[in-house]
Amino acid sequence: MKKVDLSFQSCKSEYKDSDVVIFSAPLDLTTSFRPGTRFAGNHIRIDSVGIEWYSPYQDKSLKDYNTCDIGDLEMPLGDLEGALDVIYKTTKKIIEDKKTPLMIGGEHLVTYPAVKALIEEYKNLHIIHLDAHTDLRDEFLGMKLSHATVLRRLYDLGAKIYSFGIRSGDKHEFEWAKEHIYLRKFDLETLDEKVNLLKDKPVYITIDLDVLDPGVFPGTGTPEPGGIQFKELLQALELFRNLNNIVGADIVELNPLLDSSGASTMAAIKALRELILLLHK
Amino acid sequence: MKKVDLSFQSCKSEYKDSDVVIFSAPLDLTTSFRPGTRFAGNHIRIDSVGIEWYSPYQDKSLKDYNTCDIGDLEMPLGDLEGALDVIYKTTKKIIEDKKTPLMIGGEHLVTYPAVKALIEEYKNLHIIHLDAHTDLRDEFLGMKLSHATVLRRLYDLGAKIYSFGIRSGDKHEFEWAKEHIYLRKFDLETLDEKVNLLKDKPVYITIDLDVLDPGVFPGTGTPEPGGIQFKELLQALELFRNLNNIVGADIVELNPLLDSSGASTMAAIKALRELILLLHK
Amino acid sequence: MKKVDLSFQSCKSEYKDSDVVIFSAPLDLTTSFRPGTRFAGNHIRIDSVGIEWYSPYQDKSLKDYNTCDIGDLEMPLGDLEGALDVIYKTTKKIIEDKKTPLMIGGEHLVTYPAVKALIEEYKNLHIIHLDAHTDLRDEFLGMKLSHATVLRRLYDLGAKIYSFGIRSGDKHEFEWAKEHIYLRKFDLETLDEKVNLLKDKPVYITIDLDVLDPGVFPGTGTPEPGGIQFKELLQALELFRNLNNIVGADIVELNPLLDSSGASTMAAIKALRELILLLHK
Amino acid sequence: MKKVDLSFQSCKSEYKDSDVVIFSAPLDLTTSFRPGTRFAGNHIRIDSVGIEWYSPYQDKSLKDYNTCDIGDLEMPLGDLEGALDVIYKTTKKIIEDKKTPLMIGGEHLVTYPAVKALIEEYKNLHIIHLDAHTDLRDEFLGMKLSHATVLRRLYDLGAKIYSFGIRSGDKHEFEWAKEHIYLRKFDLETLDEKVNLLKDKPVYITIDLDVLDPGVFPGTGTPEPGGIQFKELLQALELFRNLNNIVGADIVELNPLLDSSGASTMAAIKALRELILLLHK
Amino acid sequence: MKKVDLSFQSCKSEYKDSDVVIFSAPLDLTTSFRPGTRFAGNHIRIDSVGIEWYSPYQDKSLKDYNTCDIGDLEMPLGDLEGALDVIYKTTKKIIEDKKTPLMIGGEHLVTYPAVKALIEEYKNLHIIHLDAHTDLRDEFLGMKLSHATVLRRLYDLGAKIYSFGIRSGDKHEFEWAKEHIYLRKFDLETLDEKVNLLKDKPVYITIDLDVLDPGVFPGTGTPEPGGIQFKELLQALELFRNLNNIVGADIVELNPLLDSSGASTMAAIKALRELILLLHK
Amino acid sequence: MKKVDLSFQSCKSEYKDSDVVIFSAPLDLTTSFRPGTRFAGNHIRIDSVGIEWYSPYQDKSLKDYNTCDIGDLEMPLGDLEGALDVIYKTTKKIIEDKKTPLMIGGEHLVTYPAVKALIEEYKNLHIIHLDAHTDLRDEFLGMKLSHATVLRRLYDLGAKIYSFGIRSGDKHEFEWAKEHIYLRKFDLETLDEKVNLLKDKPVYITIDLDVLDPGVFPGTGTPEPGGIQFKELLQALELFRNLNNIVGADIVELNPLLDSSGASTMAAIKALRELILLLHK
């Protein structure tokens, strides 16, 4: 007679026994169009019974690894800085305990405090970033910390950025990108080269799921037509197996309020399973 | 750093410390129209953050009581008898441990094994039954055990039945009812009298949420127009405060697949909160 | 091995053997807000398995009567006059064959050709009309024949009109009504008196389902808040048992495209079952 | 060849010619459960073609009055104080121009800056408040300004509060209410008395549409079962005709993301039409 | 004045005159995630007016062939073996009458009794199987007969299996497959070769529509991201024109409860039209 | 304090200052399956805040051009010829004022009056037509003017037709096409050649958005599986940059009633942004 356990799929290990720790960050405060990503974590959890624990892509099974799911972080809802601090401290603690963090957003801004914690440990941190949007504004609607500025803030932290699939942004963002980061427009080409380059570097992977075409992933606040297919995302995930030092990862921007069929939630679930298996080297 | 806890609202006590034990029975095998009630338990859990723990109706708060939520029972999905047996044994164990069971369906058939366990303890068990449907067929589509026969089976177990709100059934069910049980058609009138009568008797309360009008509760497999308002259900719940010996209860037939706005789920959540507080005398 | 039969519930008699004939008129050409009522007939048919054939309100069963369902009329879709003519001729034929017509709309304009056929047989025809809207404009958007003018056209045909539940219309419609027809605003009060008055007169019943509150019946093109409950509609249907000469009836304005839960469709189905049983004296 | 005009229904006057000014405040930053009310204003605008300009309740027509709709306010999205200031200044300007403000939320917090502007003009301001929730917390999740504290903040500003329909809140809120404001639980009884009392006082009306039962109004972030019917809201609006000095009003908490049938949006539209006509004495 | 005929598109021949016979099997008893496929047949029927009877892919028209649609089989709902027996007997009868069966599921388990009947006639039966899932478990949740074991059961019957598009299953299923059947992971490559090989063999085609990517086909109980495009399915169907002896076919796993836009239903309808034309050699 | 301005994205110029004029034609009278395209214009307007004004495809920004949005045309709803005449006259006026018209449908028939006005100015008009359907019937359901005949009518006006992506129609339409127009089945191949051919000719572009696969664009009345991806549409739009004389354009057949996630509306918005930028040479 044990308390209900709604951990992601078969990731039911205790924290102390785990190598990978899943948490969700229910934040969508700076969302400019349709909010709701705060509900992603728990919808992913309860629908994760709909997927197998075995991946035929990696020939690995969730059952063979120790993963803990600590659930939604408790965050002061209206207090942006307070909320980001909770994510920062959680990530910090996980790293200190020699475990790998895997975060479910929330809006994309959640990546900022996670990377902030990681870069203190890994000075030479590289970011592989899949997204529809540049997220490179210096400020957005008067705010320095926003889903639309998050990659710029990661750059400010000293991370090296490699963006792929980008098809939306303001003109000056694309121009700024040319001089400061690597940015691949529209698709994932050259990802193989860059993965090869980063083979032994510490790498953080952040996947804004709206990099997928809205046909595949309608359940997101700001769908941007013309994206990649799920098979292309799977190929990217396969490429990541060549990275020897992935120090953390996240998937962000699933909005369950906009996913009446549940298919977008399942896309997030499958991406998450593959990421978990990737993180368990 | 603890594992995710998605217990209903603030019902986060451990089993051993609890007086009331919530569990959900994800069964919808005999559903004849639109299935999906198997998902009710977890949808109720994750949306229960949207309700206050304090009830202004009973002037009581969930925070002041020890309640444990053990989640969805693990049931052999395609095996009806096996599934019912899991419910029976779980209920049995809870009673033996001197706790009160509170079940979330699933289809209405889940009430059968729960009552079967209870009646072994309380020979003189009375059932208060709110529902749109008679559920009194002797068999349905060739089956003795079905959502459409469940009240008949409770009668066979020896329970005394008091049905209210009934507005759908076959002619012979209504005729059989006249001779064997108490059945109030269309509304909840006379419920006060019957509650008074059962004041000190052991009573089990089973609420098929489709007793509510589909305007109030569209998220159910077999909506039956012409039902009661939620305020009438609240009045019934207030009446139940006069029962001194409620030995268990359930709510059944929420189908989250048919609840795009989430309002039906919230109706179930509010009814559940009131029931929990009722069970904590 | 017979062809698929998707007749309404158990109304599976052949035309020649039937006393009541159901047909649906898939017309929504003059709808001014959200179209889609053309799909009502077939959605009602396929969901009608979700209701019992027995009515505890009338203590009668569909199984005990001969009813034929001839399905959607084939209508020249873009040709309004042609479409209305198909309805007229179908109704005419049914009357000539000494059967009672029961029509499923479509938009409310479908009532016009049906009444036109009936009034040729019953000069002294009275209309009982439940609706949210007056539908009494003399013309609408330049058209004489429109969902918004249909009751005015019935008046022009010579029918006596008794409208109930009306809560929307232009000022001049309410003023015209005072001098030409009986119109009860907002609710069904006085329906009992009027039914008594029309006891032995030939009566046609037309139920625009948007007379129901949108809480109960959201699945309609022009929801008008502040309507009646389904129980009130059931009470009206019970009153109609005092009418000794109902010569036809219809229900209109269900829009299945706006009924994601199916609850509005079920409301139409239940109203239809009661009407069928009423027509079988 | 004029630019698109999507003003509410027939409220197409220029600002300078108008007596009543509609604006919408697309704010849902402090929403704790399901956000999306920021979209209410424009959804109300585009669906307002689905309602008549004439009200049979008040026997008045929107066409006979000059009303201007200035649309969504432009607000710094992530900056709560900045956003509230925009509402404050807009309301202030409207009052200074001797016009009456009518606001569409957004979350309920938008009422705070509007009342702040009004109370500078009307020291003796009274608030009639229809809502499911107390909104009387002193702070919520660490914030003084929140949808859950808004009525408490209005009290702090010096307004006299009369709350009706309240059925959710924390225990201490109900207790605080007893000593500081008038609060009617569960329904609108005594509203007539209070309206009589406030007959000649300056009154601001704030309607949180979730005072309606979720059956009637599912399209809201935090549905609370057991609310009032739309007819009861209409009766309240009729009572308000006895108020001789309504100085402003708002409706809040429609969430179009949760309103797949459009019926909740139409409820907001009808309430808004009645309020506009009320404000035009 | 004939009874309603809701046969698929223009497939309105009588049974005795037909070469191909369509039926639907409303079974979803063993579905482990989201049930509802039982409604596929009738939703396909009523929406089939939305497709042309002419196929520009095959340059053939439904109007030029005699096809009968006998509708949903009547099955004892809760009785799995009884239900399967109805499918078996129906298929048997159709074969005996020298007609070709074309079945609409229902869950994938419906394929078992159909193939059982066919293999009695065609000892040397080959199965072409398009699916996201292996369906090769020996038992699932304790059951031998399940949607998750159906291909294994077909193997047990003696059929030769050729699976394509498979991207989900347990590890041991993939391993078993290597030794006992032909299984192509992830896509349809090599289908041309295999079709060539089976050119003159008796072939049964079973299409689990979840082989399609959930972007294309969200309306299914267990969506599995990373599937094929509809154009690839069309190419497969074109390849099947090289098969000279197709003895039956089915499409399964459409769940209309999860298809709010109707696009998945239309995908099933188009696949069905192409299959009908394929079966009419 | 200006009236609400819900012009498309940043297209807020006055008519007299604009080079391109957007209008929407809310017509869906001849729609044979699921109507609702009349709502496309305003849904596109209010959701257009969700897209950037800068196009990384064309490296151009809406902000750098003068575009006016005059909104929904006021059309006599039930009067087909009257409605078409409004479109004709509006287009005529725009051309006379030396501006370029850009129309949002409505159903595809709206293209007819627009082209009629344009061909009076550009005798040698060529039409590039992307669509799933031929639309080449000579009449449909007895009507000469219909969504299903519109391209045939354009041919009758003297326009030269180049159709791409066509995958649905009756056999005789495909045969007629072979002799009278250019028609590319199933995809957009050869579009580059044809664009090259039409380089300096006056060209009108009409995009029926159902040319997209329903996976990408489910929000349309008659989805036709097997269409193009959004990236292919973007490539077509890039090709159109080689056209030196685009004299007008339209996008048609978005049905917001069928777009619960909003992703189809966003596809229309993005296509529209690209078209606006194309028209501003």
Side-chain angles (χ1 to χ4, degrees), chain C residues 1-8 11-16 21 39 42-43 45-47 49 68-72 89-91 93-94 97, chain E residues 1-8 11-16 21 39 42-43 45-47 49 68-72 89-91 93-94 97:
Chain C
M1 293 306 226
K2 285 192 297 188
K3 288 178 65 177
V4 54
D5 184 352
L6 286 170
S7 302
F8 181 80
C11 300
K12 296 183 188 287
S13 300
E14 294 295 326
Y15 179 78
K16 66 178 172 45
V21 178
F39 300 108
N42 288 338
H43 277 265
R45 283 180 184 92
I46 65 172
D47 275 7
V49 296
C68 176
D69 177 358
I70 63 172
D72 266 3
K89 284 184 178 141
T90 304
T91 312
K93 169 81 176 132
I94 292 169
D97 293 341
Chain E
M1 294 304 229
K2 285 191 299 187
K3 289 179 63 177
V4 55
D5 184 351
L6 286 170
S7 302
F8 180 79
C11 299
K12 297 182 188 287
S13 301
E14 294 295 326
Y15 179 77
K16 67 178 170 45
V21 178
F39 300 108
N42 288 338
H43 277 265
R45 283 180 184 93
I46 65 171
D47 276 7
V49 297
C68 176
D69 178 357
I70 62 172
D72 265 2
K89 284 184 177 142
T90 304
T91 312
K93 168 81 176 134
I94 293 168
D97 292 340

Side-chain angles (χ1 to χ4, degrees), chain A residues 129-199:
Chain A
H129 168 226
L130 310 189
D131 203 334
H133 307 90
T134 45
D135 292 354
L136 286 170
R137 280 165 160 96
D138 190 33
E139 57 175 63
F140 186 62
L141 303 169
M143 302 176 78
K144 280 284 184 180
L145 290 174
S146 161
H147 71 101
T149 68
V150 61
L151 267 288
R152 182 69 169 265
R153 289 296 86 78
L154 300 191
Y155 176 87
D156 292 350
L157 288 173
K160 314 280 176 302
I161 316 285
Y162 297 82
S163 294
F164 294 85
I166 309 301
R167 55 195 188 275
S168 177
D170 205 354
K171 188 187 175 85
H172 71 266
E173 292 181 90
F174 285 97
E175 283 167 358
W176 184 91
K178 277 183 202 150
E179 294 174 29
H180 299 84
I181 67 168
Y182 180 81
L183 185 153
R184 171 74 198 180
K185 279 195 291 194
F186 308 144
D187 55 39
L188 307 188
E189 277 182 43
T190 69
L191 179 61
D192 50 351
E193 294 169 26
K194 298 306 170 191
V195 161
N196 209 38
L197 204 73
L198 305 180
K199 213 174 164 52

Side-chain angles (χ1 to χ4, degrees), chain B residues 166-168 185-186 224-227, chain C residues 54-60 230-231 234 238 241 270 273-274:
Chain B
I166 309 301
R167 55 195 187 274
S168 177
K185 276 194 293 192
F186 308 144
E224 184 70 35
Chain C
Y54 171 72
S55 163
Y57 304 93
Q58 302 193 45
D59 189 22
K60 292 164 74 177
F230 198 86
K231 278 194 178 176
L234 284 169
E238 294 228 28
R241 300 172 72 183
K270 188 159 178 174
R273 183 189 71 193
E274 297 301 314

Side-chain angles (χ1 to χ4, degrees), chain E residues 83-96:
Chain E
L84 298 178
D85 197 47
V86 171
I87 299 171
Y88 168 76
K89 284 184 177 142
T90 304
T91 312
K92 190 89 183 169
K93 168 81 176 134
I94 293 168
I95 306 165
E96 285 169 4

Side-chain angles (χ1 to χ4, degrees), chain A residues 15 19-23 70 73 87-102 247, chain B residues 1:
Chain A
Y15 179 78
D19 301 306
V20 172
V21 179
I22 301 169
F23 63 92
I70 62 172
L73 302 187
I87 299 172
Y88 168 77
K89 284 183 178 140
T90 304
T91 312
K92 190 88 182 170
K93 169 80 176 133
I94 293 169
I95 305 166
E96 285 168 3
D97 292 341
K98 308 293 180 211
K99 300 170 192 306
T100 309
L102 178 51
V247 300
Chain B
M1 294 306 227

